[in-house]
């Protein structure tokens, strides 16, 4: 999903939208007089000469990354040494802003390395990643566990009441101090030594997990020798499966590739129950079958080290340690919130399963629904209830049209943005497109990249990240990208999206808007630099507009004829949105609870048997996980083991509460208007990490969040006790 906020010292000095003052420049010069700062060399030594300082992928080779990142670390360490050795008394300028300004070359190199390893990786890049990840973890510790620097930060923090600081200055100072403390600055020397070792190992394991999972998604795919086993798929889908097999040297066969989730897109179409079961089992067991892609050993180590790390800080478990800056505040608040959702969700699951079993019986079949049957028969129930099936609507969702006439159109109506596609900006893959984003006044706001299609060397899921972050400190504007994993079309066929893909496109662009509208001086507070259980708020709020009638009518046009989706079909799509929500909410809720099960384990209590622990956790779960398994199983839960969402997957549900409540505010105040969009921009999208999250929500809606709109949006409000 979005680029994680990197800690001070690895990416505070990304890019921006203003100039450094003479005072700050002088302060930095004074601080560095006694310490020589090495000069960088190579492609990343200076900002790119392309518009917006966009990376020039025509000049970047895989061999550039290792020396650039190593140089970047060396330069930043010298910058830190200069700050630590500054003979002047600590001030906001010579300590806090000075820290903010370090690491420019490192950040440029890492931002491009991240998109390459995430979307077009290869053995060379994987080897570099594995080698550098523990070094980068140690590099971060070199800052946060540096007592001399922390003493300067502490001195500034202790005298903050006497300073004439702006609101953003105060936010930066508080964030810097809290990050140091959270990273171990106050630990004893022995504890710091243990922490360094733990962090280095955790970084290596996280990288290994991510790389192993990418391999599993590729090599554990379902290979089909008999084309008849693919009955129910379209000719285009079968052709794409044959092409995937051809690319792997398996001519005469077909491959159904795996997406990162438990359930797989083709399960709603395959008529052969044995094929459905095989595909589901391939997905469920891809990383727990004893093969080279088994991740359970890595997970045991990750969970154990995280619990040990929490114990070093005197915390009962990793969730308690991790949630120090969250809107929810602590694990129990998040757990109680999820328990409140579980009751109505479980009731809906039973009701939905009963309807599916009735459909199975009506066909004369003698079995009850299993997880691999659910999507297939839910489609049949949906078709009867709403006279609608997925095959009817997919031809109306051509990927480029959804983006330009849907996602961009909504952004224009709400915020006045316009977009111009350009061919002069190099990209990392031929299917990536680039747009200049113009603000309502016609000025250039940002650069936006869109990478839509699944590849074997691309990690699963969808996310937003950036090459350049907005900041008035440097006078640079944001350069942002969205990555998805839509099934690519066969040669000569149109690129069509499922409705889930469409929703994901709106979701990820909501993250992009959070970055596009950033209006901060300091990059470490800019845009998406907010807590995990707030960062998904803008993205989920933007999903609302996928179903806005005027927006849907603008982009839902048949790929062959250009004819708009018929009005009666539009109505059916809209009316069906609350269908199957026990399933849809349940798989996410089960995964979020599983995340908390793992991360509320105390030190010394991490089990040896990963599958056994998971089975017990799911058995104790109030949801019907035998029918609706978690969206991610422990062994392929990338979000929590390598994606920065440990003890944080609940954030998708927490922020759905915020976004649903906000959606009702929009409905009550005129819907999709420029005035409402500008209000959301002013109170949330442009504020970054400069305000209290609760205050930002109240500024938007005029009240505290309530869960009822979320349940109402899901059609589950009547299921509550």
């Amino acid at each position: 999903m979005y680029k994680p906020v990197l800690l001070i010292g690895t990416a505070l000095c990304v890019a921006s939208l203003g100039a450094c003052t003479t005072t700050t420049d002088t302060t930095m010069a004074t601080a560095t007089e006694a310490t020589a700062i090495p000069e960088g060399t190579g492609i990343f030594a200076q900002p790119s000469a392309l518009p917006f300082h966009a990376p020039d992928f025509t000049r970047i080779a895989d061999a550039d990354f290792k020396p650039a990142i190593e140089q970047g670390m060396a330069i930043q360490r010298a910058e830190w040494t200069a700050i630590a050795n500054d003979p002047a008394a600590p001030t906001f300028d010579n300590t806090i802003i000075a820290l903010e300004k370090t690491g420019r070359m490192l950040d440029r190199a890492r931002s491009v390395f991240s998109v390459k390893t995430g979307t077009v990786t290869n053995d060379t890049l994987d080897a570099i990643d594995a080698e550098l990840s523990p070094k980068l973890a140690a590099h971060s510790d070199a800052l946060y566990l540096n007592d001399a620097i922390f003493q300067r930060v502490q001195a500034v923090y202790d005298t903050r009441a006497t300073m004439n600081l702006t609101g953003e200055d105060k936010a930066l100072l508080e964030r810097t101090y809290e990050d140091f403390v959270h990273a171990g600055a106050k630990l004893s020397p022995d504890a710091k030594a243990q922490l360094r070792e733990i962090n280095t190992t955790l970084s290596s394991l996280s990288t290994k997990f991510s790389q192993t999972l990418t391999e599993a998604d590729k090599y554990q795919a379902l290979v089909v020798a008999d084309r008849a086993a693919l009955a129910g798929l379209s000719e285009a889908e079968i052709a794409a499966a044959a092409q995937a097999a051809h690319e792997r040297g398996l001519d005469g066969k077909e491959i159904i590739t795996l997406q990162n989730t438990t359930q797989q897109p083709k399960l709603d179409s395959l008529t052969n129950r044995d094929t459905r079961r095989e595909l589901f089992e391939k997905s469920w067991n891809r990383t727990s079958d004893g093969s080279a892609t088994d991740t359970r050993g890595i997970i045991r180590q990750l969970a154990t080290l995280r619990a040990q790390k929490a114990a070093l800080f005197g915390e009962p478990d990793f969730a308690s340690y991790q949630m120090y800056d969250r809107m929810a505040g602590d694990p129990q608040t998040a757990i109680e919130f999820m328990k409140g959702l579980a009751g109505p969700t479980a009731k809906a699951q039973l009701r939905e399963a009963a309807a599916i079993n009735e459909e199975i019986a009506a066909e004369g079949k003698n079995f009850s629904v299993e997880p691999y049957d659910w999507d297939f028969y839910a489609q049949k129930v949906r078709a009867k209830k709403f006279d609608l099936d997925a095959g009817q609507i997919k031809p109306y969702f051509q990927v480029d049209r959804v983006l330009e006439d849907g996602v961009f159109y909504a952004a224009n109506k709400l915020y006045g943005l316009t977009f111009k596609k350009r061919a002069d900006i190099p990209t990392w893959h031929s299917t990536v497109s680039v747009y200049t984003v113009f603000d309502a006044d016609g000025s250039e706001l940002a650069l936006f990249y869109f990478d839509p299609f699944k590849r074997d060397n691309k990690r699963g899921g969808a996310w937003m990240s950036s090459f350049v972050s907005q900041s008035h400190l440097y006078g640079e504007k944001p350069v942002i990208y969205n990555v998805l994993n839509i099934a690519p079309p066969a040669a000569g066929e149109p690129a069509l999206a499922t409705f889930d893909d469409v929703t994901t496109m709106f979701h990820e662009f909501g993250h992009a808007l959070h970055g596009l509208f950033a209006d901060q001086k300091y990059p470490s507070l800019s845009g998406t630099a907010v807590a995990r259980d707030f960062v998904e708020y803008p993205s989920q709020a933007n999903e609302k507009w996928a179903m806005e009638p005027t927006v849907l009518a603008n982009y839902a046009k048949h790929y062959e004829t250009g004819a708009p989706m018929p009005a009666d079909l539009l109505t059916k799509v809209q009316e069906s949105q609350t269908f199957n929500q026990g399933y849809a909410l349940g798989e996410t809720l089960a995964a979020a609870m599983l995340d908390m099960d793992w991360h509320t384990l105390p030190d010394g209590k991490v089990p040896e048997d990963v599958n056994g622990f998971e089975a017990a956790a799911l058995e104790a779960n109030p949801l019907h996980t035998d029918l609706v398994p978690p969206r991610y199983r422990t062994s392929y839960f990338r979000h929590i083991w390598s994606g920065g969402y440990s003890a944080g997957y609940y954030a998708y549900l927490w922020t759905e509460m915020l976004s649903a409540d906000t959606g009702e505010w929009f409905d009550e105040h005129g819907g999709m208007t420029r005035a409402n969009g500008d209000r959301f921009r002013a109170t949330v999208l442009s504020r970054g990490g400069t305000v209290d999250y609760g205050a930002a929500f109240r500024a938007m809606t005029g009240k505290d969040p309530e869960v009822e709109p979320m349940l109402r949006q899901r059609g589950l409000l009547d299921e509550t006790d």
Side-chain angles (χ1 to χ4, degrees), residues 7-8 12 92 96-97 99-100 144 150 153-154 156-161 163 165-183 324-325 522 524-525 689-693:
L7 299 177
I8 297 172
L12 279 187
F92 183 77
I96 307 304
I97 292 182
L99 285 170
E100 183 81 349
Y144 287 110
F150 178 62
V153 172
Q154 178 86 61
V156 178
Y157 182 77
D158 288 345
T159 57
R160 63 194 183 281
M163 300 177 186
L165 301 177
T166 67
E168 190 173 343
D169 291 342
K170 292 176 183 176
L172 177 66
L173 175 55
E174 290 170 359
R175 171 77 67 88
T176 303
Y177 176 78
E178 290 170 0
D179 283 349
F180 266 87
V181 174
H182 185 68
Y324 79 107
D325 66 343
Y522 304 117
S524 59
L525 299 174
T690 65
V691 294
D692 174 85
Y693 305 128

Side-chain angles (χ1 to χ4, degrees), residues 335-586:
I335 290 169
E336 290 302 318
F337 165 70
M338 290 190 286
K339 285 181 178 178
L341 298 175
T345 305
K347 289 180 181 179
Q349 288 176 336
L350 289 181
R351 186 185 67 244
E352 292 163 9
I356 288 173
N357 284 330
E358 287 180 10
E359 178 64 26
I360 293 171
E363 290 188 351
K365 304 291 177 61
N366 187 28
F367 61 83
S368 296
V369 63
E370 295 287 346
Y372 48 84
D373 298 314
W374 192 293
D375 282 348
F376 182 74
Y377 282 99
Q379 288 285 8
K380 291 176 175 286
V381 175
R382 185 202 304 265
K384 286 186 176 180
K385 184 173 183 179
F386 300 101
D387 190 22
L388 175 70
D389 65 60
Q392 290 176 269
I393 61 177
K394 193 171 182 179
Y396 293 91
F397 296 151
Q398 190 166 5
V399 172
D400 286 347
R401 181 170 284 156
V402 173
L403 178 69
E404 296 181 356
D405 296 343
V407 175
F408 290 172
Y409 176 80
N412 173 260
K413 294 302 179 184
L414 283 163
Y415 311 110
L417 300 185
T418 54
F419 302 81
K420 182 179 180 180
K421 194 170 186 177
R422 53 194 307 168
D424 61 326
I425 303 293
T427 66
W428 57 94
H429 192 270
S430 60
T431 58
V432 177
S433 52
V434 187
Y435 299 81
T436 300
V437 185
F438 297 91
D439 211 339
D441 63 2
S443 62
E444 289 186 336
L445 181 66
L447 203 63
F448 174 71
Y449 297 72
F450 181 62
D451 181 358
F453 299 118
K454 180 176 176 59
R455 296 184 282 273
D456 277 348
N457 59 345
K458 185 181 195 178
R459 69 176 171 89
W463 64 95
M464 164 267 185
S465 193
S466 64
F467 298 119
V468 180
S469 296
Q470 177 277 333
S471 167
H472 297 303
L473 194 62
Y474 294 110
E476 295 173 347
K477 299 179 181 182
V479 179
I480 287 170
Y481 61 88
N482 278 174
V483 176
L484 288 86
N485 269 279
I486 298 171
E493 295 292 331
L496 301 179
T498 66
F499 190 69
D500 282 347
D501 293 329
V502 171
T503 302
T504 301
M505 289 172 68
F506 277 84
H507 176 102
E508 294 306 330
F509 196 74
H511 285 307
L513 289 169
H514 204 178
L516 295 175
F517 288 148
D519 189 21
Q520 279 68 59
K521 178 178 180 181
Y522 304 117
S524 59
L525 299 174
S526 181
T528 57
V530 298
R532 288 291 182 199
D533 58 4
F534 196 78
V535 77
E536 298 295 337
Y537 171 30
S539 56
Q540 299 216 55
N542 203 57
E543 290 179 23
K544 172 182 175 63
W545 309 116
M547 288 304 302
E548 176 72 16
T550 56
V551 178
L552 190 60
N554 200 62
Y555 73 81
K557 297 179 180 179
H558 199 281
Y559 76 92
E560 289 180 315
T561 66
M565 185 181 285
D568 63 333
L569 188 55
L570 276 172
T571 299
K572 292 173 187 177
V573 171
Q574 292 160 350
E575 290 177 345
S576 69
Q577 291 310 293
T578 57
F579 175 75
N580 207 36
Q581 289 302 308
Y583 171 91
L585 178 56

Side-chain angles (χ1 to χ4, degrees), residues 21 69 151 204 214 217 219 238 253 293 317 327 375 416 429 456 494 507 597 632 658:
T21 66
I69 291 172
Q151 291 305 317
S204 294
T214 298
D217 288 346
Y219 291 112
I238 294 174
K253 298 182 180 180
T293 61
D317 50 57
M327 187 176 179
D375 282 348
H429 192 270
D456 277 348
H507 176 102
D597 288 330
Y632 302 101
L658 304 181

Side-chain angles (χ1 to χ4, degrees), residues 296 300 598 606-616 633-634:
R296 289 174 295 177
R300 282 195 300 271
W598 277 106
V606 174
E608 284 294 317
D609 183 358
V610 171
N611 283 4
F613 176 81
E614 177 186 79
R633 193 180 187 186
T634 297

